[in-house]
């Protein structure tokens, strides 16, 4: 018995703060509802509930989280305490480049949220940004440092906490308040007739478990395993619903990916109300194996790219790599799929498309805005007309408004079939190199992590019978997508 106790003592001495109960990780609550509420001498709130769930899950490892004090502190005070090893852990903080070398972040996020503006309810439905000249923020937060550049910094007021900021908003000392959707969304849900939000798609980011540098890898790993287990069981999702935050906060295992109709790679089935396509099925299956759930969103392609420049979503598919996109996107090492671009024309058009040199310079060729075509297309001497998407391009082609349209071969054949003109169109030989398509991620902490874990899982999945079955479902084989 003495030998066993000595081993336990040595284990605790190596792995963290120790007591007769095991490893104790001390924390502070934050002065931020609904993450933490002070109820008399007790605490409540979303992150407090997560601590309770973690304690239940980690009890079998003899790890426990305890409050060093129940007096709420600002996020700046909490990070100072972590950096000084005054506390060991904090539940519910955004990643910060300024803090990454001073603390540890558990890479699996707790929940995703967005930046958000709220203002006092107005009688008019039209709100002009130009009228919002005085903006309130919460000082020393990640959100306060990412306020859009359209606002003059001299007109920004930093407040210590949300209560001070709301008071200033109520007293018309500021025009709007800019902060995270978890806090402002909760305030909106509690005061629907008092405040309203601006309908903007702002940057998406995540809250994590943060550890002091002294906490070892063993404890960090057990916490990460617990968070993954919560996502699998729906624990975090249930807590989000408990606090009526489902319109403002998503569980950390939900990956939002932007795409457009690009059949057979990806498209929205209006009848079944689901996204389909061999790229859709592949991405969904790979993320399922990683413990994530994919939610597909759609916008016009140019707006998809603009949204990703603002890190408004987690990822975008299917697209090629180019230097401009690499400035705001992270591309995994493994491509998702391949294809070839060709020129389509109506058979009744007397245009020789057997070679680019044979196409007269007065011929008009349509192309989709924002798509990355090869140099062969841009260097061709014919005229180039931008259109909003591939379907519009084929409709213009059908109606004789343009002479040619450049499109991915598989996509073009699919659109022609859907429009009932598959027997009326023909396409050129392949002038381009093979197009390599990727799912790319936001160039931030979480996007980089998703890219890292996605690559090996996709490589493994492509060697499976499940992948071959997906291709077969859409009338394709591995040979059609040789990499």
């Amino acid at each position: 018995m003495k030998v066993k106790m000595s081993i336990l003592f040595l284990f605790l001495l190596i792995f963290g703060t120790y007591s007769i109960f095991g490893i104790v990780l001390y924390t502070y609550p934050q002065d931020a509802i609904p993450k933490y509420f002070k109820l008399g001498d007790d605490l409540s709130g979303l992150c407090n509930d997560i601590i309770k769930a973690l304690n239940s899950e980690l009890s079998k490892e003899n790890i426990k989280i305890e409050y060093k004090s129940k007096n709420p502190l600002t996020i700046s005070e909490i990070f100072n305490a972590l950096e000084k090893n005054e506390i060991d852990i904090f539940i519910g903080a955004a990643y910060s480049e300024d803090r990454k070398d001073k603390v540890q972040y558990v890479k699996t996020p707790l929940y995703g949220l967005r930046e958000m503006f709220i203002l006092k309810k107005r009688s008019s439905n039209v709100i002009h940004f130009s009228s919002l000249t005085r903006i309130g923020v919460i000082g020393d937060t990640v959100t306060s440092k990412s306020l859009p550049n359209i606002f003059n910094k001299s007109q920004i007021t930093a407040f210590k906490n949300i209560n001070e900021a709301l008071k200033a908003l109520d007293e018309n000392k500021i025009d709007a308040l800019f902060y995270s959707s978890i806090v402002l969304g909760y305030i909106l849900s509690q005061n629907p007739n008092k405040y309203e939000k601006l309908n903007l798609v702002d940057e998406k980011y995540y809250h994590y478990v943060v550890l002091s540098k002294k906490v070892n890898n063993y404890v960090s790993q057990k916490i990460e395993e617990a968070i993954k287990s919560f996502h699998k069981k729906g624990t975090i999702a249930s807590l989000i619903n408990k606090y009526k935050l489902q319109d403002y906060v998503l569980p950390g295992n939900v990956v939002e990916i932007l795409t457009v109709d690009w059949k057979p790679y990806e498209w929205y089935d209006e009848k079944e109300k689901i996204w389909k396509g061999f790229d859709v099925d592949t991405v969904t299956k790979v993320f399922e194996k990683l413990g994530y759930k994919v939610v597909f969103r759609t916008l016009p392609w140019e707006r998809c790219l603009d949204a990703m420049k603002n890190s408004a979503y987690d990822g975008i598919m299917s697209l090629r790599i180019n230097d401009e996109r690499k400035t705001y996107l992270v591309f995994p090492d493994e491509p998702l799929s391949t294809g070839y671009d060709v020129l389509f024309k109506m058979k009744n058009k007397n245009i020789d498309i057997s070679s680019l040199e044979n196409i007269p310079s007065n011929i008009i060729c349509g192309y989709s805005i924002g798509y990355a075509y090869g140099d062969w297309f841009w260097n061709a001497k014919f005229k180039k007309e931008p259109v909003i998407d591939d379907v519009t391009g084929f409709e213009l082609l059908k109606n004789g408004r343009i002479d040619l349209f450049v499109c991915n071969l598989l996509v073009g054949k699919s659109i022609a079939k859907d429009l009932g003109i598959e027997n009326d169109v023909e396409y050129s030989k392949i002038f381009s190199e093979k197009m390599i398509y990727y799912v790319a991620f936001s160039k931030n902490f979480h996007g980089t992590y998703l890219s890292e874990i996605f690559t090996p899982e996709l490589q493994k999945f492509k060697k499976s019978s499940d992948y071959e079955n997906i291709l077969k479902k859409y009338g394709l084989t591995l040979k059609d997508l040789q990499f």
Side-chain angles (χ1 to χ4, degrees):
M1 181 65 179
K2 287 183 179 179
V3 174
K4 289 183 178 179
M5 287 299 293
S6 297
I7 293 172
L8 177 61
F9 180 83
L10 180 62
F11 176 83
L12 295 173
L13 186 62
I14 294 171
F15 285 107
T17 304
Y18 61 90
S19 73
I20 59 172
F21 302 106
I23 301 170
V24 178
L25 303 173
Y26 288 104
T27 189
Y28 286 135
Q30 184 187 359
D31 185 9
I33 57 171
K35 292 162 65 178
Y36 297 92
F37 292 99
K38 190 73 185 293
L39 297 176
D41 294 329
D42 210 351
L43 287 167
S44 182
L46 174 65
C47 291
N48 182 75
D49 287 355
I50 293 174
I51 289 174
K52 290 179 180 179
L54 281 169
N55 280 337
S56 177
E57 188 76 15
L58 296 171
S59 61
K60 57 181 176 287
E61 306 293 339
N62 290 314
I63 300 172
K64 185 178 182 182
I65 302 169
E66 288 187 0
Y67 288 107
K68 193 163 190 176
S69 166
K70 291 187 177 180
N71 293 323
L73 302 180
T74 65
I75 195 65
S76 180
E77 291 170 330
I78 287 167
F79 269 94
N80 285 337
L82 283 166
E83 292 166 21
K84 294 175 182 177
N85 293 320
E86 181 183 323
I87 57 173
D88 310 288
I89 189 170
F90 178 68
I91 312 300
Y95 175 81
S96 167
E97 282 289 321
D98 296 337
R99 294 163 175 161
K100 68 176 182 179
D101 296 325
K102 300 174 183 177
V103 295
Q104 305 177 63
Y105 287 87
V106 175
K107 288 190 175 180
T108 299
L110 297 169
Y111 48 83
L113 59 163
R114 283 191 163 83
E115 297 170 336
M116 184 171 157
F117 286 91
I118 66 166
L119 58 159
K120 288 174 70 175
K121 200 95 172 180
R122 300 187 180 192
S123 56
S124 171
N125 290 327
V126 180
I127 300 170
H128 297 286
F129 246 111
S130 58
S131 67
L132 306 177
T133 58
R134 302 168 301 164
I135 307 298
V137 299
I138 309 302
D140 293 322
T141 61
V142 170
T143 312
S144 68
K145 297 173 184 177
S146 61
L147 186 68
N149 292 327
I150 58 174
F151 296 102
N152 188 326
K153 290 193 178 348
S154 64
Q155 297 173 314
I156 297 169
T157 304
F159 297 93
K160 182 179 179 182
N161 56 46
I162 191 66
N163 291 328
E164 288 184 4
L166 285 174
K167 183 180 178 183
L169 184 62
D170 292 342
E171 294 175 354
N172 295 316
K173 293 179 179 178
I174 56 175
D175 302 311
L177 178 56
F178 181 70
Y179 196 30
S180 69
S181 61
I182 187 172
V183 177
L184 297 187
Y186 180 78
I187 290 167
L188 277 172
S189 69
Q190 300 298 305
N191 303 275
N193 299 317
K194 188 175 183 180
Y195 304 111
E196 61 182 312
K197 70 172 182 175
L198 289 179
N199 291 317
L200 301 173
V201 181
D202 292 304
E203 179 181 356
K204 183 181 182 182
Y205 63 105
Y206 289 83
H207 277 178
Y208 298 86
V209 172
V210 189
L211 303 169
S212 73
K213 283 288 188 179
K214 75 173 185 179
V215 176
N216 63 83
N217 289 336
Y218 171 82
V219 174
S220 176
Q221 179 186 338
K222 292 303 175 183
I223 291 171
E224 183 139 32
E225 289 173 1
I227 296 169
K228 289 179 179 178
S229 174
F230 292 164
H231 289 318
K232 186 175 181 179
K233 295 185 292 187
T235 304
I236 303 283
S238 295
L239 292 176
I240 289 171
N241 290 336
K242 173 183 175 181
Y243 290 94
K244 297 180 173 57
L245 293 168
Q246 57 269 29
D247 291 336
Y248 310 102
V249 179
L250 288 171
N253 67 326
V254 174
V255 180
E256 293 181 291
I257 294 182
L258 286 173
T259 190
V260 295
D261 281 336
W262 213 50
K263 192 176 180 179
Y265 292 84
E266 52 250 4
W267 82 95
Y268 187 71
D269 188 311
E270 292 285 354
K271 186 176 180 180
E272 296 186 35
K273 306 298 181 185
I274 58 172
W275 281 91
K276 291 182 175 181
F278 60 89
D279 276 358
V280 166
D281 291 1
T282 300
V283 169
T284 300
K285 287 294 183 183
V286 171
F287 271 118
E288 277 182 5
K289 292 178 181 296
L290 291 168
Y292 287 83
K293 175 185 177 184
V294 181
V295 175
F296 295 98
R297 313 286 190 194
T298 190
L299 296 167
W301 185 245
E302 192 79 354
R303 285 181 59 196
C304 284
L305 295 173
D306 288 340
M308 293 306 298
K309 290 175 185 177
N310 296 325
S311 297
Y313 296 91
D314 298 301
I316 182 172
M317 59 184 260
S318 301
L319 73 173
R320 295 180 64 205
I321 296 177
N322 62 31
D323 289 340
E324 194 262 339
R325 289 172 179 175
K326 285 194 288 187
T327 63
Y328 61 91
L329 293 173
V330 178
F331 288 86
D333 293 334
E334 182 68 17
L336 182 59
S337 56
T338 65
Y340 290 96
D341 288 340
V342 297
L343 298 174
F344 285 84
K345 78 174 190 73
M346 301 301 293
K347 288 180 178 177
N348 60 10
K349 280 277 187 178
N350 187 23
I351 304 171
D352 182 1
I353 56 174
S354 61
S355 72
L356 294 174
E357 291 74 20
N358 291 341
I359 302 174
S361 59
N362 65 335
I363 291 297
I364 299 173
C365 180
Y367 70 92
S368 291
I369 297 173
Y371 283 25
Y373 300 101
D375 290 341
W376 71 271
F377 173 73
W378 300 114
N379 293 335
K381 61 185 178 181
F382 50 68
K383 295 180 181 178
K384 299 164 186 73
E385 182 74 26
V387 301
I388 192 169
D389 56 36
D390 289 340
V391 174
T392 302
F394 269 84
E395 288 173 341
L396 293 173
L397 192 69
K398 175 184 176 181
N399 295 327
R401 302 284 297 278
I402 56 177
D403 305 302
L404 304 174
F405 187 70
V406 60
C407 189
N408 172 282
L409 176 59
L410 294 177
V411 174
K413 290 167 73 173
S414 177
I415 293 173
K417 183 177 180 180
D418 288 345
L419 292 177
I421 58 173
E422 69 269 32
N423 296 321
D424 302 319
V425 298
E426 60 182 347
Y427 52 88
S428 70
K429 67 179 185 181
I430 295 167
F431 299 120
S432 70
E433 73 278 15
K434 182 182 290 185
M435 303 289 104
I436 309 297
Y437 306 124
Y438 293 81
V439 53
F441 302 96
S442 286
K443 202 166 190 176
N444 54 27
F445 182 67
H446 189 55
T448 301
Y449 175 62
L450 290 177
S451 179
E452 290 171 356
I453 62 175
F454 185 79
T455 292
E457 198 63 46
L458 177 58
Q459 289 171 337
K460 186 165 58 175
F461 185 71
K462 282 183 177 178
K463 298 174 184 176
S464 70
S465 59
D466 287 344
Y467 183 60
E468 290 188 49
N469 289 335
I470 286 174
L471 296 181
K472 185 178 180 181
K473 173 182 172 183
Y474 294 97
L476 300 170
T477 66
L478 288 171
K479 188 177 180 180
D480 293 314
L481 296 174
Q482 284 180 347
F483 293 91

